[in-house]
Each structure stands twice: as C-alpha cells, then as structure tokens.
Amino acid sequence: MKLIVGNKNYSSWSLRGWLAAKQSGLSFEEITVPMFGDEWQSLQQDDGGTQPSSGKVPILWDGETVVWDSIAILEYLADKVGRDRFWPKDDTARGMARSMVAEMHSSYQALRRECPMNMRKRVEGLEPSAECRHDIVRILGLWAEARARFGAGGPFLFGTFGAADVFYAPVVSRFTTYQIPVPGFAAAYMQAVWEHEWMQGWIKSAEDEEWVIEQYETVG
Ligand SMILES: N[C@@H](CCC(=O)N[C@@H](CS)C(=O)NCC(=O)O)C(=O)O
C-alpha cells in the first residue's frame, strides 16, 4: 500500500489518514507531496484515469484500489484488519465514537478556518469568534463525555487509542498552536495524544519540513 499525504505541518486530513494507516498495523509506503507545489498538479491528475479522486490528500493506494478521503481510508483499513482495532467493542461506546468521528469530518468550520493546523507555530492572544468558541466548547464537551463514560481503560477518548483519537489528533494540535485554554481533563488527554509515539514521529517530520504556506501562517 502507499499513502499520499500533504505537508505534515499543515495537512490535518493527511494526519488523520496517516494515523489510520498506522493504527491498521499494515505496512505502507508514505509519499509526501507538498501542497500547491509542482508535484501537486500531477497528483491531481494522477488518479489512474478510473477513479473520481478529489485531488486532495490523503489518498491511499492498495494495489489497483484507490481510496481517497480520510474517513473512507480509515473504514477501508478497518474492513481489512477488523473493526475492533479502530472502534470500541461496546455498542454504546462505538455509537458515540462513530458519531464523534462523523461530526469531526463534517463540522467545526469556524475552528478550521480560524485555527488552521500549523504544528510548528504558537500563537499568543487569539480571540476566537463566537462560532469558533462554540466549536471549541462542543469538542471539549464531547471529549469530557467520552473520557468520563468510556475512557477508563487508558488515557484516550475511549480508553485505548482508536478512530476517535485519530480524528481529533489535529484538534489537539490546533488547541496547542493557538493556546486554547482547556480544563485539566482535556489537557491530560491532549498530552497523551501529543506524546503518542506516532504523533511524535509526525511532529518531528513537521518540524523538519522547510515548506512554508503563507496563507496558513498569516492566520491567528
Ligand atoms: N474530506 C477530505 C478533505 C481532504 C482535504 O481537504 N485535504 C486538504 C489537505 S488537509 C487538501 O488536499 N487541500 C488541498 C486543496 O483543497 O486543493 C478528507 O477527509 O480527506
């Protein structure tokens, strides 16, 4: 398998696809294509001519099969290796985890717009809009409920690292970059995600990247 990702510093959807690939336990070749550079154009055309790939990252190739979109990649990999590697076994917990992942995938536009992922950066004194504050409060509420009801087995949302953590890892990065004040339980969760060995590997690569995308640097 090969996984095409964008800049590790900026590409939040790539981080999700990459963590999903790691969580699968399968081996994969990782190809980083810097967003909006020369290779980016050819990536957008290189869909094998058969698939309506979106031209966005991440993209997973498994032999002839192409899977684009982070949530499809996670589910494709869960189909291959077994659902339990990604999702809680308990129906009630799994229902919530699936809802949280779907909500992350479809929502929080204000947070995404005002706080784009930028792992290397730290921003002082951000004043989020009311919409962005609403997104932050909603996420903290979901984290609190997952941790309180289902988190007893470990430091992650549903105890052990899983799909929900894969999807909220870029939010951990955003809250860190923009220094969003969070309650203690959330700080502990964020620390657990930040210190996870896969996350540390991604952060190190992001720090080593030299590409700078100005439009993401001027926010905040
Ligand atoms: N819904 C898609 C979103 C993918 C996406 O927007 N990726 C961004 C990078 S984080 C991208 O490729 N942006 C370039 C563009 O919009 O042309 C997913 O979940 O994978």
Coordinates of all heavy atoms in Angstrom, one line a residue, residues 7-13 15-16 35-36 108-123 126 132 169-180 213-220:
N7 N 1.7 18.3 3.3 CA 2.7 18.8 4.3 C 2.3 18.4 5.7 O 1.2 18.6 6.1 CB 2.8 20.3 4.2 CG 2.8 20.9 2.9 OD1 2.1 20.5 2.0 ND2 3.7 21.9 2.7
K8 N 3.3 17.8 6.4 CA 3.0 17.4 7.7 C 2.7 18.5 8.7 O 1.9 18.4 9.7 CB 4.1 16.5 8.3 CG 4.1 15.2 7.5 CD 5.0 14.1 8.0 CE 4.7 12.8 7.3 NZ 5.5 11.7 7.7
N9 N 3.2 19.7 8.4 CA 3.0 20.8 9.3 C 1.5 21.3 9.2 O 1.0 21.8 10.2 CB 3.9 22.0 9.0 CG 3.9 23.0 10.0 OD1 4.0 22.8 11.2 ND2 3.7 24.3 9.6
Y10 N 1.0 21.2 8.0 CA -0.3 21.9 7.8 C -1.5 20.9 7.5 O -2.6 21.4 7.6 CB -0.2 22.8 6.5 CG 0.8 23.9 6.6 CD1 2.0 23.8 5.8 CD2 0.7 24.9 7.5 CE1 2.9 24.8 5.8 CE2 1.7 25.9 7.5 CZ 2.8 25.9 6.7 OH 3.8 26.8 6.7
S11 N -1.2 19.7 7.0 CA -2.3 19.0 6.5 C -3.0 18.1 7.5 O -2.6 17.0 7.8 CB -1.9 18.1 5.3 OG -2.9 17.4 4.8
S12 N -4.1 18.6 8.1 CA -4.8 17.9 9.1 C -5.4 16.6 8.6 O -5.4 15.6 9.3 CB -5.8 18.8 9.8 OG -6.8 19.2 8.8
W13 N -6.0 16.6 7.4 CA -6.6 15.4 6.9 C -5.6 14.4 6.6 O -5.8 13.2 6.8 CB -7.5 15.7 5.7 CG -8.6 16.6 6.0 CD1 -8.8 18.0 5.7 CD2 -9.8 16.4 6.9 NE1 -9.9 18.5 6.2 CE2 -10.6 17.5 6.9 CE3 -10.2 15.2 7.6 CZ2 -11.8 17.6 7.6 CZ3 -11.4 15.3 8.3 CH2 -12.2 16.4 8.3
L15 N -2.9 13.9 8.4 CA -2.5 13.3 9.7 C -3.5 12.3 10.0 O -3.1 11.2 10.5 CB -2.5 14.4 10.7 CG -2.3 14.0 12.2 CD1 -1.1 13.1 12.4 CD2 -2.2 15.2 13.1
R16 N -4.8 12.5 9.8 CA -5.8 11.5 10.1 C -5.6 10.2 9.3 O -5.6 9.1 9.8 CB -7.2 12.1 9.9 CG -7.5 13.2 10.8 CD -9.0 13.8 10.6 NE -9.2 14.8 11.5 CZ -9.2 16.1 11.3 NH1 -9.0 16.6 10.1 NH2 -9.5 17.0 12.2
M35 N 1.7 20.5 -0.6 CA 0.5 21.1 -1.2 C 0.9 22.4 -2.0 O 1.7 23.2 -1.6 CB -0.4 21.5 -0.1 CG -1.1 20.3 0.5 SD -2.4 20.7 1.6 CE -1.6 21.5 3.0
F36 N 0.2 22.4 -3.2 CA 0.3 23.6 -4.1 C 1.6 23.7 -4.8 O 1.9 24.7 -5.4 CB -0.2 24.9 -3.4 CG -1.4 24.7 -2.5 CD1 -1.4 25.0 -1.1 CD2 -2.5 24.1 -3.0 CE1 -2.5 24.8 -0.3 CE2 -3.7 23.9 -2.2 CZ -3.6 24.3 -0.9
Y108 N -17.4 21.9 12.4 CA -16.3 22.8 13.0 C -15.6 23.6 12.0 O -14.4 23.8 12.0 CB -15.3 21.9 13.8 CG -15.9 20.9 14.7 CD1 -15.4 19.6 14.8 CD2 -17.0 21.2 15.6 CE1 -15.9 18.6 15.6 CE2 -17.5 20.3 16.4 CZ -17.0 19.0 16.4 OH -17.5 18.0 17.3
Q109 N -16.4 24.2 11.1 CA -15.8 25.0 10.0 C -15.1 26.2 10.6 O -14.1 26.7 10.1 CB -16.9 25.4 9.0 CG -17.0 24.5 7.8 CD -17.7 23.2 8.1 OE1 -18.3 23.0 9.2 NE2 -17.5 22.2 7.3
A110 N -15.7 26.8 11.7 CA -15.1 28.1 12.2 C -13.7 27.7 12.8 O -12.8 28.5 12.6 CB -16.0 28.7 13.3
L111 N -13.6 26.6 13.5 CA -12.4 26.2 14.1 C -11.3 26.0 13.0 O -10.2 26.4 13.1 CB -12.5 25.0 15.0 CG -11.2 24.5 15.6 CD1 -10.7 25.4 16.7 CD2 -11.4 23.1 16.2
R112 N -11.8 25.3 12.0 CA -10.8 25.0 10.9 C -10.4 26.3 10.2 O -9.2 26.4 9.8 CB -11.5 24.1 9.8 CG -11.8 22.7 10.3 CD -12.3 22.0 9.1 NE -13.1 20.8 9.6 CZ -13.9 20.1 8.8 NH1 -14.0 20.4 7.5 NH2 -14.5 19.1 9.3
R113 N -11.3 27.2 10.0 CA -11.0 28.5 9.3 C -10.1 29.3 10.2 O -9.1 29.9 9.7 CB -12.3 29.2 9.0 CG -12.2 30.3 8.0 CD -13.5 30.9 7.6 NE -14.4 31.2 8.8 CZ -15.5 30.5 9.1 NH1 -15.9 29.5 8.4 NH2 -16.2 30.9 10.2
E114 N -10.4 29.5 11.4 CA -9.7 30.5 12.3 C -8.4 29.9 12.9 O -7.5 30.6 13.3 CB -10.6 31.0 13.4 CG -11.8 31.8 12.9 CD -12.7 32.2 13.9 OE1 -12.3 32.5 15.1 OE2 -13.9 32.3 13.6
C115 N -8.4 28.6 13.0 CA -7.2 27.9 13.6 C -6.7 26.8 12.7 O -6.7 25.6 13.1 CB -7.6 27.4 15.0 SG -8.3 28.5 16.1
P116 N -6.2 27.1 11.5 CA -5.7 26.1 10.7 C -4.5 25.3 11.3 O -3.7 25.9 12.1 CB -5.2 26.8 9.4 CG -5.0 28.2 9.8 CD -6.0 28.5 10.9
M117 N -4.4 24.0 11.0 CA -3.3 23.3 11.7 C -1.9 23.9 11.2 O -1.7 24.1 10.1 CB -3.4 21.8 11.3 CG -2.5 21.0 12.2 SD -2.7 19.2 12.0 CE -1.4 18.8 10.9
N118 N -1.1 24.1 12.2 CA 0.3 24.6 11.9 C 1.1 24.1 13.1 O 1.2 24.8 14.1 CB 0.2 26.1 11.8 CG 1.5 26.7 11.3 OD1 2.6 26.1 11.5 ND2 1.5 27.9 10.8
M119 N 1.6 22.9 13.0 CA 2.2 22.3 14.2 C 3.4 23.0 14.7 O 3.6 23.0 15.9 CB 2.6 20.8 13.8 CG 1.5 20.0 13.4 SD 1.8 18.2 13.5 CE 0.8 17.8 14.9
R120 N 4.1 23.7 13.9 CA 5.4 24.4 14.3 C 5.1 25.7 15.1 O 5.9 26.2 15.8 CB 6.2 24.7 13.1 CG 6.8 23.6 12.4 CD 7.8 24.1 11.3 NE 7.2 24.9 10.3 CZ 7.0 24.5 9.0 NH1 7.5 23.3 8.7 NH2 6.5 25.2 8.1
K121 N 3.9 26.2 14.8 CA 3.6 27.6 15.3 C 3.0 27.7 16.7 O 2.2 26.7 17.1 CB 2.7 28.3 14.3 CG 2.5 29.8 14.4 CD 1.9 30.4 13.2 CE 1.6 31.8 13.4 NZ 1.5 32.6 12.2
R122 N 3.2 28.7 17.4 CA 2.5 29.0 18.7 C 2.0 30.5 18.5 O 2.8 31.4 18.3 CB 3.4 28.9 19.9 CG 3.9 27.5 20.2 CD 2.7 26.5 20.5 NE 3.2 25.1 20.6 CZ 3.4 24.3 19.7 NH1 3.0 24.6 18.4 NH2 3.8 23.1 19.9
V123 N 0.7 30.7 18.7 CA 0.0 32.0 18.6 C -0.4 32.5 19.9 O -1.1 31.7 20.7 CB -1.2 31.8 17.6 CG1 -2.0 33.1 17.6 CG2 -0.7 31.4 16.2
L126 N -5.0 34.7 20.8 CA -6.0 34.6 19.8 C -7.4 34.8 20.4 O -7.7 34.4 21.5 CB -6.0 33.1 19.2 CG -7.2 32.8 18.2 CD1 -6.8 33.3 16.8 CD2 -7.5 31.4 18.2
C132 N -16.4 30.0 16.5 CA -15.2 29.2 16.8 C -15.3 28.8 18.3 O -15.0 27.6 18.6 CB -14.0 30.0 16.5 SG -12.5 29.0 16.7
A169 N -6.9 14.1 16.7 CA -5.5 14.5 16.9 C -5.1 15.9 16.3 O -4.4 16.6 16.9 CB -4.6 13.4 16.3
P170 N -5.6 16.2 15.1 CA -5.3 17.6 14.6 C -6.0 18.7 15.5 O -5.5 19.8 15.5 CB -5.9 17.6 13.2 CG -6.0 16.1 12.8 CD -6.3 15.4 14.1
V171 N -7.1 18.4 16.1 CA -7.6 19.4 17.1 C -6.7 19.6 18.2 O -6.5 20.7 18.7 CB -9.1 18.9 17.5 CG1 -9.6 19.9 18.6 CG2 -10.0 18.8 16.4
V172 N -6.1 18.5 18.7 CA -5.1 18.6 19.8 C -4.0 19.6 19.3 O -3.6 20.5 20.0 CB -4.5 17.2 20.2 CG1 -3.3 17.4 21.0 CG2 -5.6 16.4 20.8
S173 N -3.6 19.4 18.1 CA -2.5 20.3 17.5 C -3.0 21.7 17.4 O -2.3 22.7 17.8 CB -2.1 19.8 16.1 OG -1.2 20.7 15.5
R174 N -4.2 21.9 17.0 CA -4.8 23.3 16.9 C -4.9 23.9 18.2 O -4.5 25.1 18.4 CB -6.2 23.2 16.2 CG -6.1 22.9 14.7 CD -7.5 22.8 14.2 NE -7.6 23.1 12.8 CZ -7.9 22.2 11.9 NH1 -8.3 21.0 12.2 NH2 -7.9 22.6 10.6
F175 N -5.4 23.2 19.2 CA -5.6 23.8 20.6 C -4.2 24.2 21.1 O -4.0 25.1 21.9 CB -6.2 22.8 21.5 CG -7.8 22.7 21.3 CD1 -8.4 23.4 20.3 CD2 -8.5 21.9 22.2 CE1 -9.8 23.2 20.1 CE2 -9.9 21.8 22.0 CZ -10.5 22.4 21.0
T176 N -3.2 23.4 20.8 CA -1.8 23.6 21.2 C -1.2 24.9 20.5 O -0.7 25.8 21.2 CB -0.9 22.4 21.0 OG1 -1.5 21.3 21.6 CG2 0.5 22.6 21.5
T177 N -1.4 24.9 19.2 CA -0.8 26.0 18.4 C -1.5 27.4 18.9 O -0.8 28.4 19.1 CB -1.1 25.8 16.9 OG1 -0.3 24.7 16.5 CG2 -0.7 27.1 16.1
Y178 N -2.8 27.4 19.0 CA -3.5 28.6 19.3 C -3.7 28.8 20.8 O -4.4 29.8 21.2 CB -4.8 28.7 18.5 CG -4.5 28.6 17.0 CD1 -4.5 27.4 16.3 CD2 -4.1 29.8 16.3 CE1 -4.1 27.3 15.0 CE2 -3.8 29.7 15.0 CZ -3.8 28.5 14.3 OH -3.4 28.4 13.0
Q179 N -3.1 27.9 21.6 CA -3.1 28.1 23.1 C -4.5 28.3 23.6 O -4.7 29.2 24.4 CB -2.1 29.1 23.5 CG -0.7 28.9 22.8 CD 0.4 29.6 23.4 OE1 0.6 29.6 24.6 NE2 1.2 30.2 22.6
I180 N -5.4 27.4 23.2 CA -6.8 27.5 23.6 C -6.8 27.0 25.1 O -6.3 25.9 25.4 CB -7.7 26.6 22.8 CG1 -7.5 26.9 21.3 CG2 -9.1 26.6 23.2 CD1 -8.0 28.3 20.9
I213 N 3.6 27.7 3.8 CA 2.5 28.1 3.1 C 1.9 29.4 3.7 O 1.4 29.3 4.8 CB 1.4 27.0 3.0 CG1 2.0 25.8 2.3 CG2 0.2 27.5 2.2 CD1 1.0 24.6 2.2
E214 N 2.1 30.5 3.1 CA 1.9 31.8 3.7 C 0.4 32.0 4.2 O 0.2 32.5 5.2 CB 2.2 33.0 2.7 CG 3.7 33.2 2.6 CD 4.4 33.5 3.9 OE1 3.7 34.1 4.8 OE2 5.6 33.2 4.0
Q215 N -0.5 31.4 3.4 CA -1.9 31.6 3.8 C -2.3 31.0 5.1 O -3.2 31.5 5.8 CB -2.9 31.1 2.7 CG -2.9 29.6 2.6 CD -3.7 29.1 1.4 OE1 -3.2 29.0 0.3 NE2 -5.0 28.7 1.6
Y216 N -1.5 30.0 5.5 CA -1.8 29.4 6.8 C -0.9 30.1 7.9 O -1.2 29.8 9.1 CB -1.5 27.9 6.8 CG -2.3 27.1 5.8 CD1 -1.7 26.1 5.0 CD2 -3.7 27.4 5.7 CE1 -2.5 25.4 4.1 CE2 -4.4 26.6 4.8 CZ -3.8 25.7 4.0 OH -4.6 25.0 3.1
E217 N 0.1 30.8 7.5 CA 0.9 31.5 8.5 C 0.4 32.8 9.0 O 0.7 33.3 10.0 CB 2.3 31.7 7.9 CG 3.1 30.5 7.6 CD 3.5 29.7 8.8 OE1 3.6 30.3 9.9 OE2 3.6 28.4 8.7
T218 N -0.5 33.4 8.2 CA -1.0 34.8 8.5 C -2.2 34.7 9.3 O -2.7 35.8 9.8 CB -1.3 35.5 7.2 OG1 -2.1 34.7 6.4 CG2 0.0 35.9 6.4
V219 N -2.8 33.6 9.6 CA -4.0 33.5 10.4 C -3.6 33.5 11.9 O -2.5 33.0 12.2 CB -4.7 32.1 10.1 CG1 -6.0 32.0 10.9 CG2 -5.0 32.0 8.7
G220 N -4.5 34.0 12.7 CA -4.2 33.9 14.2 C -3.5 35.1 14.8 O -3.0 36.0 14.1

